[in-house]
Amino acid sequence: MVGSFLFGLIISKNLNSVTKKILLTGFFSCFTSFSGFIYFLYEILNQGNWIKFIIFLNLIITINLFTMLFGVWISSKFT
């Protein structure tokens, strides 16, 4: 979630195109790797709990989206 927040901060900043691309596709893509997220969901699927899988999938994606939007909002307040 920290990565999503920082991603939102960078999106709304007036940085040049190269700097923004390096930060967003380089650093934050590695920082916010969803490999842990995928492994967590894989373990739930191995247990055969489809309802828990669907709930966690939607919950994690929604929370990260709103965290990113919060970062954009915070950045716009300080700009």
Side-chain angles (χ1 to χ4, degrees), residues 9-70:
L9 287 175
I10 297 299
I11 286 173
S12 61
K13 290 292 182 188
N14 258 347
L15 300 173
N16 67 29
S17 177
V18 173
T19 303
K20 194 178 270 192
K21 284 180 185 177
I22 289 171
L23 286 173
L24 295 179
T25 61
F27 178 72
F28 288 114
S29 293
C30 294
F31 184 67
T32 60
S33 172
F34 281 103
S35 57
F37 166 64
I38 297 301
Y39 178 72
F40 177 72
L41 292 176
Y42 172 76
E43 288 295 321
I44 292 173
L45 279 178
N46 275 341
Q47 297 170 1
N49 196 341
W50 285 92
I51 294 173
K52 188 176 179 181
F53 170 79
I54 292 169
I55 289 170
F56 275 109
L57 175 69
N58 289 311
L59 188 64
I60 291 169
I61 290 172
T62 303
I63 288 172
N64 278 295
L65 177 64
F66 281 111
T67 305
M68 185 187 75
L69 290 173
F70 181 67

